[in-house]
């Protein structure tokens, strides 16, 4: 069985490692957003497929798909649902659960709402929302002393009051506390990414009494089976393999 694994997440890399160890013919797919991505083991292809049409054509080379992209990578997930439905290729969504809600957090339904909220809550926001979303924070936070953390610098022209730090998780509580102390962050903004990779910033904010703005997850596409763990995804792949053997 030939499996296409839509990745770009730690779960996808973990799943790829298990599948390669189990001798499953898996190809991981990355969007190609960053210059030096963390590569999974096994076969890797990089770059978009060319929308639903391109993905439909690509699926001729695969028997099943696991979509393990980030919970905020809605476009890719929607394309996977459409292309798999059109071709009859079985699809599984592997999605890490969101963080357990905390009553002290301030929730926002969009990046723009999060920017406005952060602008009211503090003067020195710490933005951990990804390079692609930074532009959406400019209108509300142009004059704030923002610290923006990204994996790779954006092309965006940053205001003089903004400071950029490039790094990649996982992070530690000590490191996050030091970073937020040095910057004197007075509000943290994050997506509800879930998982443990970026959790220490939430602990650091709590210990420093810094308010947190959490951007809610967008609604996931319907009509797709969803599992939350790599183990469950492995079980599904095994079921599919039996169907193909
Ligand atoms: P997106 O908005 O959902 O996707 C936009 C387009 O990028 C897709 O239509 C597809 O292009 C291409 N693409 C996305 N993921 C791909 C993949 N795994 N393999 C091949 N093509 C892919 O995605 P995004 O939010 O920009 O995320 C891009 C990648 O970064 C994903 O792999 C995701 O898992 C990872 N990531 C995203 C976030 C986040 O917050 N969004 C955070 C961490 C990691 P075509 O239409 O041409 O096929």
């Amino acid at each position: 069985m030939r499996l296409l694994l839509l990745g770009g997440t730690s779960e996808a890399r973990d799943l790829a490692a298990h599948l390669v160890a189990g001798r499953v013919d898996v190809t991981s797919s990355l969007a190609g957003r960053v210059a030096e991505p963390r590569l999974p083991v096994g076969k890797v292809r990089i770059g978009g497929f060319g929308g639903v049409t391109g993905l439909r054509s690509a699926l001729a080379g695969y028997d099943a798909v696991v979509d393990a992209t980030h919970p905020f990578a809605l476009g890719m997930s929607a394309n996977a649902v459409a292309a798999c439905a059109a071709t009859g290729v079985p699809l599984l969504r592997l999605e890490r659960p969101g963080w357990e809600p905390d009553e002290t957090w301030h929730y926002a339904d969009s990046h723009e709402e999060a920017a406005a909220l952060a602008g009211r809550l503090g003067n020195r926001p710490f933005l951990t929302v990804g390079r692609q979303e930074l532009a959406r924070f400019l209108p509300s936070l142009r004059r704030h002393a923002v610290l923006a953390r990204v994996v790779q610098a954006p092309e965006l022209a940053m205001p003089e009051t903004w400071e950029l730090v490039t790094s990649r998780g996982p992070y530690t509580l000590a490191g996050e506390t030091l970073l937020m102390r040095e910057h004197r962050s007075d509000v943290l903004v994050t997506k509800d990414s879930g998982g443990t990779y970026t959790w220490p910033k939430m602990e650091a904010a709590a210990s420093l009494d810094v308010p947190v703005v959490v951007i809610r997850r967008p609604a996931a596409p319907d009509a797709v089976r969803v599992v939350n763990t790599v183990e469950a995804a492995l079980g599904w792949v095994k079921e599919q393999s039996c169907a193909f053997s």
Side-chain angles (χ1 to χ4, degrees), residues 11-173:
E11 292 77 23
R13 287 190 295 276
D14 195 8
L15 179 59
H18 280 90
L19 292 170
V20 168
R23 297 180 179 280
V24 175
D25 181 359
V26 57
T27 302
S28 293
S29 175
L30 302 180
R33 293 274 189 276
V34 291
E36 288 176 27
R38 222 175 239 151
L39 291 175
V41 296
K43 286 188 277 185
V44 177
R45 65 163 299 287
I46 297 182
F49 295 92
V52 176
T53 311
L55 184 54
R56 276 178 67 161
S57 307
L59 288 183
Y62 300 98
D63 303 304
V65 178
V66 175
D67 169 18
T69 55
H70 192 270
F72 280 77
L74 261 200
M76 188 68 252
S77 293
N79 288 357
V81 169
C84 287
T87 53
V89 173
L91 169 68
L92 179 77
R93 168 89 181 129
L94 167 59
E95 183 170 294
R96 69 177 89 132
W99 287 314
E100 198 60 41
D102 183 314
E103 62 181 22
T104 66
W105 293 346
H106 303 260
Y107 278 96
D109 285 318
S110 68
H111 292 79
E112 288 76 10
E113 193 187 330
L117 249 175
R120 288 198 296 276
L121 287 166
N123 295 311
R124 305 184 62 81
F126 178 25
L127 299 187
T128 60
V129 294
R131 170 177 52 123
Q132 294 182 96
E133 313 296 355
L134 281 183
R136 299 167 72 179
F137 287 81
L138 275 179
S140 290
L141 301 179
R142 188 176 290 282
R143 290 186 181 78
H144 287 65
V146 165
L147 175 65
R149 182 167 66 194
V150 290
V151 172
Q152 185 176 305
E155 281 168 18
L156 184 78
M158 305 249 291
E160 279 178 12
T161 53
W162 285 33
E163 188 187 330
L164 192 74
V165 56
T166 53
S167 69
R168 224 192 303 238
Y171 298 101
T172 63
L173 176 56

